[in-house]
Amino acid sequence: MFKLGWFVNGYSPKTWTGPWAGNHASEWTGPNFWIDVARGLERGGFDMFFMEDSAMVEDTYGGTAETTLKYAEMAPKNDPMPLVPLLSTFTRHIGIVSTISTIQYHPYMAARLGATLDHLTEGRVGLNVVTSVSHRVAQNYGYERHFDHAERYQMAEEWMDAVNALWGSWEEGALVHDLEEPRFADHKKVHPVDFVGKYFRTRGPLNTVPGPQGRPVIAQAGGSAPGRDLAARNADVMLGLVKSPEDMVEFRADMDRRLREYGRDPEDLHIFFMAHAFIGEDDAAGKERYQRSVDHRTHPDEIEKRLWTMSYTSGGEIDYAKYDRHGPIPTELGNGETTTHKLMLAAAAEGKTLYDLVTGPMNYGMDFVGSAKTIAAQMDEVMKSTERPDGFLIQGIDDELSRRTLTEITDGLCAELQRQRLIRTGYSGRTFRENLSNWD
């Protein structure tokens, strides 16, 4: 058996054009669409709903925000934190992971918010800890520019140390609830943390009680060496970006080594590998859907959006609008997602043009194509070949998410996976963390 998560690029417009969009262009801001998504995923046996976040209106590409706002590329975007308790009210089991940035949330605010959400969700919240990518995000929070890649991971390690200290500031047994004396809590078991670091300081103790999980499930998505170390020290869940079963094995082995170096059991980290399901009524329909996605790469709108994405993932340092699309791929390395840009440099070393790159496969993760039965068999074969089943983190094709695509996955693919006993058919754990460790 293996696990499933769903990845969505933020509390933002998803499929807002086309025949299956409905009134999503305005509906996305309210609760109903996201409630339908969360309930559908739980019905399908998903372990978690994973939501990215960012806080900027990007204007690197072409030196303007026109492309950003023309296509709704990562803006507008609402704060996902208020969605967490709302979605937990309409579901009973699925874990709900929201992104939290180390430059946007002071450790005390983050620890207090995380504990509060753990209570409100009855133990089903997860926090995806990120360092943020763009200079524009940093500038929105009072910095002149973003920290260099290596330094922001040093900052993130310190941030995690601080929030963990705050979550641990209440000892086990601190809550007394003695109605006769009366005594709510034992003050001798609640301690200041007096945390002083290079980037953060906080006295503590936390002024709220530990939640059902003790601390929220911690997720991490960075694939660089510092990102992997951050996950190895702190994470319960990790996003893996690989292209093949062999890469999965290598990724898992590298993380196992890092976990042991930090004195952790490798079984404590659950890696969800990014995947895309090109599903159809039969194999021919699935292949046709895949081919439509391939053909769409050469559409002018898609090329512009892909160049925009490259400008954003450079950390706001490289404007790909200024380069000849049929010329060589620029080899400068930005300060953003270094793993992404190293892949681009590898393409440059192969002699590819910028046009070759943006019209080629840029989806992260593995592609599965065919009917529900065929894709289920493909997923099973991949997991068996790894000898160490973790899970897949499914993302909509070309970031598509509509009620139609949701139903295709949950009532098509997931139903088949459940029939073959490849994913859970129920939830025996009380909390998100417990369900991650249970194979129902």
Side-chain angles (χ1 to χ4, degrees), residues 120-283:
L120 289 173
T121 63
E122 297 181 300
R124 290 192 288 127
V125 68
L127 298 178
N128 173 39
V129 178
V130 302
T131 63
S132 292
V133 173
S134 171
H135 291 310
R136 290 291 181 255
V137 176
Q139 288 160 0
N140 286 338
Y141 288 88
Y143 300 97
E144 184 176 345
R145 56 181 284 116
H146 205 354
F147 298 91
D148 288 341
H149 184 270
E151 185 174 11
R152 63 180 186 251
Y153 273 97
Q154 294 171 8
M155 184 178 181
E157 293 281 9
E158 185 179 294
W159 188 94
M160 280 302 317
D161 289 344
V163 295
N164 281 328
L166 289 163
W167 283 326
S169 61
W170 288 62
E171 291 183 29
E172 186 176 350
L175 289 174
V176 178
H177 291 174
D178 186 331
L179 304 181
E180 299 299 324
E181 185 180 352
R183 184 177 297 277
F184 191 89
D186 183 350
H187 70 285
K188 296 188 295 297
K189 294 184 177 182
V190 182
H191 310 286
V193 299
D194 293 322
F195 184 93
V196 179
K198 178 180 178 181
Y199 304 100
F200 304 107
R201 60 188 304 152
T202 180
R203 180 184 183 275
L206 203 60
N207 70 331
T208 186
V209 301
Q213 299 183 107
R215 71 167 193 169
V217 165
I218 299 298
Q220 218 288 313
S224 65
R228 294 188 186 200
D229 279 339
L230 182 66
R233 285 190 68 214
N234 300 285
D236 306 289
V237 166
M238 189 177 187
L239 185 158
L241 296 177
V242 299
K243 281 290 188 181
S244 68
E246 294 76 19
D247 291 341
M248 289 173 66
V249 172
E250 183 180 343
F251 191 104
R252 179 78 251 189
D254 179 66
M255 289 309 302
D256 286 354
R257 176 185 61 79
R258 293 173 192 267
L259 284 152
R260 292 190 184 99
E261 286 178 356
Y262 288 110
R264 295 184 64 198
D265 185 342
E267 296 295 332
D268 290 340
L269 179 66
H270 306 273
I271 302 176
F272 286 70
F273 293 95
M274 189 73 83
H276 311 91
F278 294 82
I279 190 169
E281 293 81 0
D282 53 32
D283 287 352

Side-chain angles (χ1 to χ4, degrees), residues 11-17 21-34 72 76 78 403:
Y11 180 6
S12 59
K14 299 293 110 193
T15 304
W16 60 279
T17 62
N23 63 348
H24 187 73
S26 57
E27 184 192 27
W28 74 272
T29 59
N32 292 334
F33 175 77
W34 302 104
N78 288 349
R403 288 180 175 87

Side-chain angles (χ1 to χ4, degrees), residues 11 42 84 93-94 182 193 210 276 322 325 333 345 372 414 437:
Y11 180 6
E42 185 169 86
V84 174
H93 307 287
I94 191 170
V193 299
H276 311 91
K322 68 183 182 181
R325 295 182 183 182
L333 189 64
L345 293 182
C414 289
S437 300

